[in-house]
Amino acid sequence: MYSEEEKKSEKLVTHFEDVSLSDVSENLSGRKGLSLFKLHNFDSPVPDFFVISPAVFFQFSSKVFREKKKEIESMKETLENRDVANMFSRFDLEQDVTTDIIKNYTKLSGFTDAWVSVRSSVSFPKRPEVSFSGLFDTQLNVRGVENLLKSIKQVYASVFTDSVVKYCVNENIDLSEVGLAIVVQKMVQPEVSGVVFTIDPITQDQTRMSVEAVYGLGDVISNGDITPDSYVLLKKDLAIVEKHIAPQEWMKVRTLKSGGVNTSEKIQISPAWSHRQKLEDKYIVEISKVGMRLEDQMGEALDIEWVLSGGRLWILQAKNTFASQSIVSNVQFGYGSFVADTLFKVVKEIISRFDDSAELEKQAVQEAGRYMEKEFEKVRKVEEVKVDMSPAPVPPKAKISIDGEQFMFSGIGSSFGITQGTVKMYAGEDVPVTKDVILVMKRYEKEMYEVVSKAGGVILDTGGLTSDISIVCRELNIPAVVGSIVGTTMLSSGDIIKMDGNSGSVYLVDKAKGEQQAVADGITEKLNHIVEMPVAPVIEEVPVSDNVTNAYVHERDLNLPHTATKIFTSLSNLDEVVNSDGVMYLSLDQLMIEDGRHPLAYVADKKYKEYADSIAKKIDAVASVASPNEVVLSIGEHTIKSFKALVKGKEFEESSLPEKTMGTSRYLDNAKLLDLVLRIVKRTRNVLHNRNVSLAVHSPINGSVMREIKKSISASGLRRTSTFNIYAIIENPSEVIVLDDIANTDIDGLILNTPAIAKQMQGIDYEDSTTKYDLAVGSVYTVIDSVVATSRKNRLKLSVVTNSNTDIIKYCVSKGVYGISVTESIADAKKLVSQQETKILLGGK
């Protein structure tokens, strides 16, 4: 932490032209900021930038936490990142800091507001080997002072997340001592982006260097969204000796619109370009020369982020991620009691640092911490000696014998090591993992760090050498293969495999044994999405059955075009589900009504578990095929009258509300029924492990009602996470009028039910399924425009129910909605959307 004197004496906001390199340190500018000052000093082509000191972060966060001390104390262990983000958003930075930021942004911009990136720059000099890779937020494409100040606070808030806390616990770091500088840098609109490694990032062969490249913005590389091209050169003559061309179906570009934050979008790449080499040979050589020059000037191996714009190469940052790879940084020493292991404890520690009554206690803790740090340092030195004395790594060609093993596929070896273990298909759920488990997943999120850190190996469909998962695995000495493309489709939970993190090869050791183990564990993920599990009386105890081997295989049509717009199905037809981008939505009300007996009658008869299992299995049949794509369950589609018509319905529907009442109000009026359906959702996620299941509520009416239903959902134990979203289904014209109020309730997205809206606007009863109505009328397009504007303003995902109406689908694509839901062929919808996106890309209508 910084003392008040240090904060006052140092320069809090520094423009790159206003300071010499000798006056800059990690304490002033963080690691990323320091590297940019070095690059500027070496006359490298760096976009203009300024840096906000870590002292501002300490100053701002401590002020907010002290002001909100009572509120934080009342939350205790329920304190979450969104609570911190909400607190930060309601406070302003100090006036002198704000003035300096505006002054430097104006200097950066010139006559018009510049597009800038707002990036975290960690400051923690005592542990240079710990990278904090991918943990903190980055805000791209920010324009205007108001958006800039908002983005700075959002990056600050990203320090206080469960994933960051867990990372610090694993690394024996006191998070309250970690500083965060902010780098504000002019954005460059790139044709191609990438990274150059001045030594081989896996073998650390100093005679070779490597370049990665993608079309468009380069954050897709670190996020692991896209597998980049990879080119290998010999340093002695810069001869290109290897090229690995990865197909790229879409790219991320900045949207040139006024105002906004993170105004970027995905656009489809035509088949003629998607399989081409991303970076011309002359630029591969040019960026390699820049890399070698910087390596010589800085005196260390580097990985360097670059972009190509208008034929000119720009350097965004340079860092050394190789120094820590020989250090076992995650060795456990039983130090948990000395490090705050929850977000509440971290915040409490920050508050206590400014609380006079806690001063003596703080000094005692610090003294104990210094003592333990000395002890840990002794152990680390022993471990380093062990590493230095260990045998040399197995050369790439000296592989373990593969007799009796079947080669499956290969990807990019991104973290050295050869290991054998049991496959676990992983989508982000909190599951027990040991070193004999190999995690296989589509992509990596920072919330997955704790589980990944315990695994014996990692395989990803996407990603490259500089993706966050690759850096994490190299830090933790976990073998990793990324960019496999087919890993999640060719492997199944329970398979026993061998993986080579250097060559990127994956071998099957025992498929039959793997399948038996998968069934015994009750795992439903089978090869190529085999999903029809045998029916058993108890969900948790699915016996080994021959039925599994005879299960129907729902194969994905790989010839269908990929689209930037998500295409969801509203059908439970599994052949449609497997080709879709998910299910939006599967009605829980409909599943319960199809049973024919009122759900609460089963509770009264003490047969809730059997009933819940039967509903959960129906959801599982769909969710397993859709995985890892999202399946949105909805509640509130049917009226009180519909439930009264069930066996024993009148006994359990005693509401004073009109019989035609549906949606959120209907469930808030029947708390027992709401509790039952939420327990079914929990059972689906936690017992059947369908972590891709989210929840939507019909007809939220207004913001107050939406907040009430959210409280009930949260109280049931269903908390919003990266894998559990809450949506509001808009299906009344009155809800469109008050949509701002509904959208401002901390939800994840909106679903616009255009058929329901159109019916009511044309005087047709919502439940009338026989009277014809016109979906593609002008008033419906006006509603879509209004909802699109609200969703963008509140940064919400918007999906539109289209009933496969061609005109509505085209209009939604032109408006850039997140997704559409169709009732007919997914294949036809994908072809239509792909054609429309291509027209837009080429400048057509």
Side-chain angles (χ1 to χ4, degrees):
M1 296 287 283
Y2 289 62
S3 68
E4 292 298 327
E5 290 73 17
E6 288 174 318
K7 292 172 190 172
K8 292 177 182 177
S9 62
E10 71 172 33
K11 193 174 180 63
L12 297 179
V13 184
T14 307
H15 191 274
F16 75 102
E17 293 178 328
D18 295 344
V19 67
S20 64
L21 183 61
S22 60
D23 296 326
V24 180
S25 66
E26 183 175 329
N27 282 328
L28 175 70
S29 60
R31 296 172 184 175
K32 189 171 296 181
L34 180 59
S35 84
L36 286 173
F37 280 114
K38 288 181 178 179
L39 290 170
H40 172 65
N41 184 65
F42 295 138
D43 295 322
S44 298
V46 181
D48 294 356
F49 66 95
F50 65 87
V51 176
I52 304 170
S53 166
V56 176
F57 165 72
F58 286 128
Q59 183 185 70
F60 178 71
S61 59
S62 61
K63 178 183 77 171
V64 173
F65 291 148
R66 277 182 288 165
E67 290 289 332
K68 292 292 182 179
K69 183 176 180 180
K70 289 184 179 179
E71 184 177 334
I72 292 167
E73 289 285 355
S74 67
M75 292 181 181
K76 295 189 181 298
E77 298 300 340
T78 64
L79 182 70
E80 295 183 348
N81 169 250
R82 65 170 178 263
D83 299 317
V84 174
N86 187 38
M87 292 176 193
F88 279 19
S89 68
R90 301 201 300 267
F91 282 78
D92 294 327
L93 298 170
E94 296 295 331
Q95 185 58 49
D96 58 334
V97 174
T98 301
T99 301
D100 280 351
I101 290 173
I102 294 173
K103 175 184 174 183
N104 281 275
Y105 178 64
T106 303
K107 187 174 181 180
L108 212 64
S109 298
F111 293 107
T112 60
D113 287 346
W115 294 92
V116 296
S117 61
V118 181
R119 301 176 185 270
S120 61
S121 179
V122 72
S123 173
F124 198 56
K126 66 186 340 182
R127 293 283 298 279
E129 81 280 5
V130 182
S131 71
F132 297 90
S133 177
L135 289 177
F136 309 128
D137 280 357
T138 292
Q139 299 289 317
L140 301 177
N141 310 309
V142 179
R143 192 180 192 190
V145 171
E146 182 180 348
N147 288 321
L148 174 59
L149 296 173
K150 181 179 178 181
S151 296
I152 290 168
K153 290 186 283 186
Q154 287 175 334
V155 175
Y156 283 163
S158 72
V159 174
F160 303 101
T161 65
D162 288 339
S163 55
V164 175
V165 172
K166 290 172 183 175
Y167 181 90
C168 289
V169 169
N170 198 59
E171 297 289 350
N172 188 33
I173 293 170
D174 183 350
L175 179 54
S176 66
E177 294 183 351
V178 176
L180 197 74
I182 295 285
V183 173
V184 179
Q185 188 173 33
K186 262 191 173 181
M187 289 286 295
V188 177
Q189 181 74 295
E191 291 97 42
V192 183
S193 305
V195 182
V196 57
F197 301 89
T198 60
I199 65 174
D200 189 297
I202 307 302
T203 64
Q204 299 193 30
D205 183 348
Q206 298 188 20
T207 65
R208 293 186 169 215
M209 61 192 308
S210 177
V211 178
E212 290 186 337
V214 295
Y215 290 131
L217 294 171
D219 61 323
V220 296
I221 299 179
S222 60
N223 292 340
D225 295 331
I226 289 178
T227 302
D229 276 7
S230 178
Y231 321 113
V232 179
L233 300 88
L234 296 177
K235 293 173 79 170
K236 63 179 181 181
D237 56 6
L238 293 181
I240 303 172
V241 294
E242 290 181 29
K243 289 183 180 180
H244 302 281
I245 310 302
Q248 185 175 340
E249 297 168 343
W250 57 271
M251 66 179 179
K252 189 175 180 181
V253 299
R254 188 176 76 229
T255 304
L256 297 177
K257 297 178 181 178
S258 61
V261 180
N262 279 336
T263 48
S264 60
E265 62 181 356
K266 296 178 182 179
I267 63 172
Q268 198 76 7
I269 298 173
S270 69
W273 284 88
S274 62
H275 288 70
R276 290 190 182 184
Q277 178 176 319
K278 311 301 181 302
L279 191 64
E280 295 178 40
D281 286 359
K282 65 177 182 179
Y283 291 121
I284 295 174
V285 172
E286 184 178 341
I287 191 61
S288 298
K289 288 180 179 178
V290 173
M292 290 179 64
R293 176 173 61 83
L294 287 173
E295 180 185 43
D296 180 63
Q297 290 173 323
M298 294 190 178
E300 60 183 357
L302 301 169
D303 67 75
I304 302 162
E305 292 182 22
W306 56 268
V307 296
L308 177 67
S309 179
R312 181 180 181 184
L313 286 166
W314 293 89
I315 306 301
L316 302 184
Q317 71 166 320
K319 57 185 177 181
N320 180 4
T321 60
F322 305 101
S324 63
Q325 292 182 26
S326 62
I327 301 174
V328 182
S329 63
N330 66 322
V331 178
Q332 301 293 318
F333 301 110
Y335 48 71
S337 60
F338 291 91
V339 177
D341 57 0
T342 68
L343 182 55
F344 172 68
K345 291 178 182 177
V346 170
V347 173
K348 191 175 180 181
E349 173 64 20
I350 292 174
I351 294 172
S352 73
R353 289 174 185 272
F354 297 87
D355 191 339
D356 292 336
S357 63
E359 189 61 31
L360 291 176
E361 179 184 351
K362 183 188 74 173
Q363 291 176 1
V365 171
Q366 289 176 337
E367 188 62 35
R370 282 192 289 270
Y371 171 78
M372 292 306 299
E373 187 175 344
K374 291 178 182 178
E375 295 302 308
F376 296 155
E377 186 61 27
K378 294 176 183 177
V379 178
R380 274 197 289 270
K381 288 180 179 179
V382 172
E383 292 299 323
E384 289 176 18
V385 171
K386 289 181 181 178
V387 171
D388 292 340
M389 296 176 65
S390 61
V394 179
K397 294 183 180 180
K399 295 180 183 175
I400 296 173
S401 170
I402 58 172
D403 293 340
E405 298 163 7
Q406 175 189 349
F407 174 77
M408 294 287 285
F409 57 85
S410 64
I412 302 170
S414 65
S415 182
F416 187 83
I418 299 173
T419 188
Q420 179 173 311
T422 303
V423 168
K424 171 65 182 175
M425 306 301 286
Y426 182 58
E429 64 272 26
D430 187 11
V431 294
V433 171
T434 58
K435 286 299 179 183
D436 59 354
V437 169
I438 296 175
L439 295 177
V440 179
M441 47 190 170
K442 279 190 174 291
R443 57 166 295 167
Y444 172 75
E445 302 282 357
K446 60 186 180 182
E447 292 83 1
M448 300 176 177
Y449 173 83
E450 185 176 25
V451 174
V452 167
S453 67
K454 299 173 184 175
V458 175
I459 298 173
L460 262 77
D461 284 357
T462 58
L465 293 173
T466 51
S467 58
D468 292 335
I469 185 64
S470 297
I471 295 172
V472 166
C473 287
R474 289 198 289 269
E475 283 187 352
L476 301 177
N477 294 324
I478 298 173
V481 173
V482 298
S484 69
I485 302 175
V486 296
T488 56
T489 55
M490 292 193 68
L491 296 173
S492 301
S493 286
D495 291 346
I496 298 176
I497 63 170
K498 181 178 290 181
M499 59 175 289
D500 187 334
N502 184 31
S503 69
S505 301
V506 178
Y507 303 89
L508 181 66
V509 176
D510 194 337
K511 181 69 177 178
K513 183 175 180 181
E515 285 188 348
Q516 293 166 8
Q517 184 64 43
V519 176
D521 289 345
I523 299 171
T524 60
E525 302 141 322
K526 304 312 305 173
L527 185 63
N528 290 332
H529 305 287
I530 299 175
V531 298
E532 293 182 4
M533 296 296 292
V535 177
V538 182
I539 295 292
E540 296 90 341
E541 299 176 1
V542 178
V544 177
S545 168
D546 293 336
N547 292 341
V548 175
T549 58
N550 296 325
Y552 180 71
V553 179
H554 300 279
E555 295 185 353
R556 189 177 185 91
D557 187 349
L558 300 178
N559 294 318
L560 293 179
H562 291 271
T563 59
T565 308
K566 298 285 186 183
I567 302 178
F568 304 103
T569 180
S570 59
L571 305 173
S572 56
N573 182 327
L574 299 185
D575 288 318
E576 292 297 333
V577 171
V578 74
N579 286 315
S580 71
D581 294 314
V583 178
M584 183 146 331
Y585 37 83
L586 182 62
S587 171
L588 256 174
D589 284 20
Q590 183 63 31
L591 293 178
M592 292 187 292
I593 284 176
E594 288 173 355
D595 179 75
R597 194 166 186 257
H598 198 283
L600 293 180
Y602 290 99
V603 177
D605 294 343
K606 298 183 179 179
K607 293 182 179 179
Y608 158 75
K609 186 174 182 297
E610 291 82 354
Y611 174 74
D613 284 351
S614 68
I615 300 295
K617 285 175 186 175
K618 292 176 182 178
I619 299 169
D620 174 60
V622 177
S624 298
V625 175
S627 180
N629 293 326
E630 188 174 37
V631 173
V632 180
L633 301 178
S634 77
I635 60 172
E637 182 184 37
H638 286 278
T639 61
I640 292 175
K641 180 180 179 180
S642 299
F643 278 85
K644 270 190 175 181
L646 300 175
V647 175
K648 290 196 173 185
K650 292 181 180 179
E651 181 180 340
F652 295 101
E653 295 289 348
E654 299 177 345
S655 175
S656 59
L657 295 174
E659 287 193 340
K660 287 191 175 183
T661 303
M662 54 165 290
T664 308
S665 296
R666 176 267 186 291
Y667 271 97
L668 288 175
D669 187 62
N670 194 332
K672 289 183 179 179
L673 185 59
L674 177 58
D675 177 66
L676 185 147
V677 297
L678 294 178
R679 285 159 68 186
I680 291 175
V681 176
K682 283 182 64 179
R683 192 166 188 80
T684 303
R685 286 179 56 84
N686 299 336
V687 176
L688 296 184
H689 304 297
N690 291 311
R691 309 299 287 188
N692 57 327
V693 168
S694 292
L695 186 64
V697 294
H698 287 264
S699 295
I701 300 181
N702 56 45
S704 298
V705 175
M706 189 68 215
R707 290 185 185 92
E708 284 302 311
I709 196 75
K710 275 193 61 196
K711 286 180 183 177
S712 298
I713 295 170
S714 180
S716 74
L718 289 165
R719 306 297 291 272
R720 290 172 62 226
T721 66
S722 60
T723 64
F724 182 72
N725 298 310
I726 297 177
Y727 299 92
I729 303 176
I730 307 303
E731 46 199 359
N732 288 310
S734 60
E735 290 167 353
V736 178
I737 297 173
V738 297
L739 191 56
D740 271 325
D741 189 27
I742 296 171
N744 194 28
T745 57
D746 202 17
I747 56 178
D748 299 286
L750 301 170
I751 302 172
L752 178 61
N753 188 345
T754 54
I757 295 279
K759 279 184 179 181
Q760 294 171 80
M761 294 176 78
Q762 294 167 40
I764 302 171
D765 188 84
Y766 175 84
E767 291 189 297
D768 187 342
S769 59
T770 57
T771 305
K772 291 186 178 180
Y773 63 95
D774 190 355
L775 185 57
V777 295
S779 54
V780 173
Y781 293 120
T782 302
V783 168
I784 293 174
D785 288 344
S786 175
V787 177
V788 166
T790 301
S791 64
R792 285 180 178 168
K793 182 173 68 174
N794 291 277
R795 302 175 69 187
L796 298 176
K797 293 184 286 188
L798 171 62
S799 298
V800 180
V801 180
T802 66
N803 272 14
S804 296
N805 183 289
T806 300
D807 292 333
I808 293 294
I809 290 174
K810 288 180 178 179
Y811 192 73
C812 288
V813 172
S814 71
K815 287 295 179 179
V817 302
Y818 172 75
I820 60 169
S821 177
V822 298
T823 53
E824 297 176 10
S825 167
I826 287 291
D828 291 345
K830 286 205 168 189
K831 291 172 185 175
L832 175 61
V833 171
S834 178
Q835 291 169 1
Q836 189 68 11
E837 289 178 344
T838 301
K839 288 181 181 178
I840 293 171
L841 184 60
L842 296 176
K845 294 183 179 179

